[in-house]
Amino acid sequence: MTAPWTARVLTLFPEMFPGPLGHSLAGRALERGLWRIEATDIRSFAEDRHRMVDDTPAGGGPGMVMKPDVLGRAIDAVRQGFEGAPCLYLSPRGKPLDQARVRDLAEGPGAVLLCGRFEGVDQRVIDGRGLEEVSIGDFVLSGGEPAALCLIDAVVRLLPGVMGAAETLAEESFTGDLLEYPHYTRPTEWEGRRVPDVLLSGHHGRIDSWRREQAEELTRERRPDLWSRYLAGGRGLRPNQQNPISVSRKD
Ligand code: 9WO
């Protein structure tokens, strides 16, 4: 058997992994051997007697910077025999992660994920090891670990065998440039709020149109960036096309 999709995580807090990914969908998939996680303590590559991993910033300023010599050894060690995998640095400066990149990663052998702490890592590590900086959103965390967990979760749910047939179908009908339409379940009335009549009508054509309208309205209001791309019609479904969301495919 060939190796399952593998996340090799470099962190000062290896006990944070698999963390939440040991539960639910990802956790069951982990137990079934559909993916692997190897968290390595960056500190184990420190060679001085105080096992220092950080130092003061060149040029002065607040905080600490992760040392390039320690990180270089750590990266080289986990890359051994894993050359086909991209090496990502989770950082608010990175290129925004999107579903297309997640799909891409899921099709490869895995990823090396470098989690920074303090004010970040010495730039020479990023340049010298060709690290790709990836962001999961425009906010600052206290370290890269929660971002790595998010990225891994997004990848793992796409791996073959992880999701059930129903969820896989839903994934395939995902209209990439539109936000999701609102969902409802029983009871039909709750705290005076009713499930929209159209959803109880049994008219699948009307239900599909309603969902499409709702998805378009939400996208136009909340995500002008996605809305423009949707109107341009680069990928996914085109507007004004009676293509039911529930059976259409993106690719
Ligand atoms: C700390 C800081 C302090 C003062 C002024 C600016 C500052 N920026 C940072 C900073 O970026 N710290 C990072 C903490 C260093 C790398 C790991 N950390 C991190 C990763 N925070 N947030 C992320 C992250 C990763 C991916 N997507 C979103 C956020």
Side-chain angles (χ1 to χ4, degrees):
M1 240 258 326
T2 163
W5 194 89
T6 300
R8 289 193 172 170
V9 183
L10 285 170
T11 171
L12 288 173
F13 300 96
E15 64 281 5
M16 288 176 72
F17 298 89
L21 300 179
H23 301 272
S24 191
L25 187 79
R28 284 191 296 275
L30 187 57
E31 283 169 4
R32 291 165 58 207
L34 298 179
W35 67 288
R36 270 208 310 235
I37 187 159
E38 299 165 5
T40 300
D41 190 350
I42 291 167
R43 197 174 296 280
S44 67
F45 295 91
E47 289 182 345
D48 65 307
R49 64 185 201 91
H50 289 110
R51 307 183 75 202
M52 286 238 311
V53 295
D54 59 334
D55 206 340
T56 56
M64 299 293 269
V65 175
M66 294 179 82
K67 287 164 60 61
D69 50 343
V70 176
L71 287 174
R73 284 191 293 271
I75 292 165
D76 295 346
V78 300
R79 265 185 168 172
Q80 283 265 348
F82 203 44
E83 286 82 8
C87 199
L88 313 180
Y89 173 47
L90 286 308
S91 148
R93 285 197 333 198
K95 182 175 169 192
L97 183 68
D98 61 15
Q99 193 64 16
R101 187 70 214 280
V102 170
R103 261 186 237 118
D104 227 59
L105 288 169
E107 285 167 12
V112 172
L113 303 175
L114 173 60
C115 301
R117 282 272 153 179
F118 318 114
E119 272 55 67
V121 310
D122 188 300
Q123 183 62 36
R124 293 169 293 179
V125 177
I126 299 172
D127 300 339
R129 292 298 183 273
L131 303 187
E132 193 184 334
E133 288 187 79
V134 174
S135 165
I136 63 156
D138 291 337
F139 41 79
V140 181
L141 303 168
S142 48
E145 288 83 0
L149 289 167
C150 290
L151 182 150
I152 297 166
D153 181 273
V155 168
V156 165
R157 62 185 286 284
L158 298 184
L159 299 175
V162 172
M163 284 193 292
E167 294 98 325
T168 301
L169 199 71
E171 181 70 27
E172 286 173 347
S173 68
F174 172 71
T175 56
D177 292 339
L178 283 182
L179 300 181
E180 272 215 61
Y181 55 81
H183 302 285
Y184 298 87
T185 185
R186 281 181 284 270
T188 304
E189 187 174 332
W190 175 75
E191 294 188 349
R193 297 168 188 271
R194 283 188 48 81
V195 172
D197 283 330
V198 61
L199 299 180
L200 309 171
S201 70
H203 281 96
H204 295 293
R206 280 191 223 157
I207 291 171
D208 290 337
S209 305
W210 182 85
R211 285 177 169 165
R212 169 62 71 96
E213 285 163 21
Q214 293 288 313
E216 289 182 345
E217 197 174 311
L218 281 172
T219 307
R220 191 160 34 75
E221 286 172 5
R222 297 183 184 175
R223 293 293 302 274
D225 57 326
L226 292 183
W227 182 244
S228 301
R229 213 164 63 187
Y230 174 68
L231 290 180
R235 11 170 75 246
L237 298 174
R238 255 135 302 278
N240 311 320
Q241 193 178 324
Q242 283 304 341
N243 198 350
I245 283 177
S246 56
V247 297
S248 60
R249 300 179 55 104
K250 248 183 117 292
D251 45 10

